[in-house]
Amino acid sequence: MVHLTQGLLETLLDFAREADPEDVTVSLAATAAGDLDGAEDIPPETPVFTDFYLPDAGGSVSAVFGVDLGTPPGQTHGRFVSHATGELAVSREDDLHAVVFVAIPPWEPGNVGAFDRSGRRQEMHVVDAVPPEGSID
C-alpha cells in the first residue's frame, strides 16, 4: 500500500490542472507516519508522501546543461506524472521511481493511481495528516 497526504494530492492535481494540455512531472518526498499529525492509525515507520519539489526549479540550468539542480540527489522517494491525453498507467516516457503516481483528466482524486516502477498498480491510501514544519527528511 502507498500512502500520501490529502494536501499533497490536492496540490499535485492543481499542478496537472494548470499544466493541461501539457504533462507535468513532480518529484516527491516522504515522511515517516510517526512524524505526522493525523496518521496515528498507520505504523510509525511507514513512509507517507508529504512533500514535493517544484517542477520548474533549476529549469534553466537543466535546459542548458542537462543537470537537474532543482531536486537534491537521492532525496526523492517518488514521482507524480500527469497524462493529459493518456491513460491511467505508467508510460515509457515517464521518469520512473519506486512509486509513480499517475493522474489523468478530469483532474480529480478518483483519476489518480499509484504504480511501482514496473507499472503494476499499487493500492493507494490518502491520509488526512499534516507533515511537520521544517525541512524535508
Side-chain angles (χ1 to χ4, degrees):
M1 179 177 297
V2 179
H3 304 274
L4 79 157
T5 63
Q6 179 69 39
L8 178 61
L9 178 59
E10 291 171 7
T11 300
L12 296 172
L13 289 171
D14 285 344
F15 283 146
R17 200 174 290 113
E18 291 171 13
D20 196 0
E22 300 296 321
D23 294 342
V24 68
T25 299
V26 181
S27 296
L28 305 176
T31 303
D35 294 335
L36 302 176
D37 291 330
E40 292 77 17
D41 59 333
I42 301 172
E45 67 281 353
T46 303
V48 177
F49 287 93
T50 55
D51 297 287
F52 65 90
Y53 290 95
L54 291 173
D56 293 330
S60 59
V61 173
S62 177
V64 174
F65 299 106
V67 177
D68 180 5
L69 295 180
T71 305
Q75 291 192 19
T76 61
H77 306 100
R79 174 93 52 196
F80 169 82
V81 296
S82 67
H83 291 171
T85 59
E87 63 180 286
L88 189 59
V90 174
S91 75
R92 292 180 190 207
E93 291 81 31
D94 292 334
D95 293 328
L96 298 181
H97 267 67
V99 177
V100 180
F101 295 95
V102 178
I104 59 171
W107 308 113
E108 298 172 357
N111 291 339
V112 178
F115 300 86
D116 66 13
R117 73 175 69 247
S118 298
R120 289 184 299 261
R121 186 90 182 241
Q122 304 293 303
E123 187 176 345
M124 186 175 83
H125 180 240
V126 180
V127 180
D128 190 14
V130 178
E133 289 188 33
S135 63
I136 298 173
D137 291 342

